[in-house]
């Protein structure tokens, strides 16, 4: 069976050069990925461990709100944030040397945009949007959480189509799909950059609108400040990520990608993942457990949703 343009070019690149050596930027990416994955695991453990507290009646249940409705959405957020960080390892040289032998050591470079930006990032952004809208009564949990895994289908389908359609069926120019440079370092294919632009263009205005709505119904300044922080730390990094990764797809003369540009792209999305996990999962639990019963419990986004729904009634 004839391979696609993307796969053929990756195999050819693997024949022309050996696996590259690790650089300082690669170790920085690996360290940041470990940090984000660890934070995602911690958030998952917090959600699961404190479920018993959420089952207790009273104010703690209201503020912690880790029952079946919100717990599922928060778990999805943690899972896809962790997957987004773990997928970054696919493009690192030490991974390709460890799991794939030449001349196929470039193939993981094709899997990287598929997993990271065809599956993990769309679902991560969808989970953030869902939690924000649910907090103001704009989405009904847990039923709406079932749609989060399906948020990646348009982007995943486009990535898969590029990788599986034979070159005779889709004879697009090879430079649109090159996943590695002349040194066999992972670049970022132009088709993946175009899909990433579409992803950012779709979710950036939706997330900004949702954060603005949460800030508008916030019951105090602390909750409002966290809503603004979420907008700044999740939405603003999206164009930074797009620009940094797009540089890898248009690098010219000689065709060598910059590890620093790729690191900046992951740094941007890593900040977004860490901010979402902290503000939407960890801080609400902290507020519920460490603020006194007589103190105004402010920031849990779920509490803002309850206040909004009470006002609507």
């Amino acid at each position: 069976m004839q391979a696609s343009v993307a796969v053929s070019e990756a195999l050819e690149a693997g024949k022309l050069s050996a696996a590259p050596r690790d650089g300082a930027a690669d170790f920085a990416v690996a360290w940041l990925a470990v940090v984000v994955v660890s934070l995602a695991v911690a958030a998952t453990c917090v959600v699961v461990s404190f479920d018993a507290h959420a089952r207790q009646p009273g104010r703690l249940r209201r503020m912690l709100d880790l029952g079946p409705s919100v717990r599922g959405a928060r778990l999805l957020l943690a899972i896809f944030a962790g997957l987004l960080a773990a997928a970054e390892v696919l493009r690192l040289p030490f991974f390709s040397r460890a799991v794939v032998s030449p001349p196929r050591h470039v193939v993981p470079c094709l899997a990287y945009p598929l997993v990271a930006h065809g599956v993990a990032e769309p679902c991560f952004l969808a989970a953030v949007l869902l939690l924000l809208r649910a907090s103001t009564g704009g989405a009904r949990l847990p039923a709406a959480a079932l749609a989060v895994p399906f948020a990646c289908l348009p982007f995943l389908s486009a990535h898969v189509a590029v990788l599986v359609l034979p070159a005779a069926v889709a004879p697009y120019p090879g430079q649109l799909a090159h996943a590695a440079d002349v040194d066999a370092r992972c670049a970022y294919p132009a088709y993946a950059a175009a899909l990433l632009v579409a992803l950012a263009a779709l979710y950036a205005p939706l997330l900004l609108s949702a954060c603005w709505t949460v800030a508008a119904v916030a019951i105090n300044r602390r909750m409002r400040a966290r809503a603004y922080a979420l907008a700044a730390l999740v939405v603003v990094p999206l164009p930074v990520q797009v620009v940094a990764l797009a540089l890898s797809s248009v690098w010219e003369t000689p065709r060598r990608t910059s590890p620093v540009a790729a690191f900046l792209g992951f740094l941007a999305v890593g900040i977004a993942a860490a901010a979402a996990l902290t503000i939407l999962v960890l801080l609400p639990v902290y507020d519920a457990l460490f603020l006194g019963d007589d103190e105004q419990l402010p920031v849990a986004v779920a509490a803002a949703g309850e206040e909004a729904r009470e006002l609507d009634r």
Side-chain angles (χ1 to χ4, degrees):
M1 181 177 178
Q2 187 181 19
S4 67
V5 175
V7 174
S8 299
E9 189 171 278
L11 293 176
E12 185 64 25
K15 295 177 183 179
L16 297 177
S17 58
R21 295 182 178 274
D22 301 295
D26 298 319
F27 289 109
V29 167
W31 176 83
L32 182 58
V34 170
V35 171
V36 176
V37 170
S38 300
L39 186 61
V41 171
T44 302
C45 293
V46 164
V47 172
V48 174
S49 299
F50 288 97
D51 180 46
H53 294 281
R55 295 181 185 276
Q56 298 175 1
R59 196 174 185 186
L60 179 62
R61 176 181 176 86
R62 176 178 180 273
M63 296 308 301
L64 193 56
D65 198 7
L66 296 178
S69 60
V70 179
R71 184 180 67 233
R74 284 174 173 161
L75 284 175
L76 287 173
L77 174 62
I79 289 170
F80 287 114
L83 179 62
L84 180 58
E88 199 71 19
V89 178
L90 291 173
R91 68 173 185 81
L92 298 181
F94 71 81
F95 177 84
S96 61
R97 291 198 305 267
V99 301
V100 185
S101 59
R104 297 181 177 270
H105 57 272
V106 179
V107 174
C109 298
L110 291 173
Y112 161 62
L114 173 69
V115 177
H117 308 131
V119 177
E121 189 163 358
C123 293
F124 163 73
L125 294 176
V128 173
L129 181 63
L130 174 64
L131 283 169
L132 288 171
R133 286 187 168 177
S135 71
T136 56
R140 296 296 178 183
L141 296 175
L146 299 176
V148 170
F150 296 98
C152 68
L153 285 181
F155 303 96
L156 176 61
S157 301
H159 280 277
V160 171
V162 172
L163 296 179
V164 303
L165 286 179
V169 176
Y172 48 85
Q175 61 265 27
L176 296 181
H178 71 80
D181 61 14
V182 294
D183 296 325
R185 296 193 64 89
C186 287
Y188 199 71
Y191 75 86
L195 292 173
L196 189 61
V197 170
L199 178 67
L202 173 64
Y203 278 100
L206 294 176
L207 290 171
L208 278 176
S209 175
C211 290
W212 179 265
T213 303
V214 171
V217 301
I219 58 177
N220 55 42
R221 285 180 295 180
R222 185 181 298 181
M223 179 185 290
R224 191 175 299 111
R226 291 186 184 177
Y228 290 144
L230 193 65
L233 296 175
V234 174
V235 179
V236 174
L238 289 179
V240 177
Q241 178 196 23
V242 170
V243 171
L245 292 181
L247 288 177
S248 297
S249 67
V250 297
W251 215 259
E252 300 285 348
T253 321
R255 203 180 72 183
R256 287 185 172 88
T257 188
S258 170
V260 176
F263 170 72
L264 290 177
F266 178 53
L267 178 62
V269 76
I271 290 173
L277 289 170
T278 302
I279 296 174
L280 294 177
V281 179
L282 298 177
L283 286 181
V285 175
Y286 172 86
D287 290 334
L289 295 181
F290 292 98
L291 293 181
D293 290 337
D294 296 331
E295 189 176 345
Q296 183 92 12
L297 294 180
V299 172
V301 176
E306 291 186 6
E307 297 292 340
R309 287 191 287 271
E310 288 173 4
L311 291 174
D312 290 339
R313 294 173 188 169

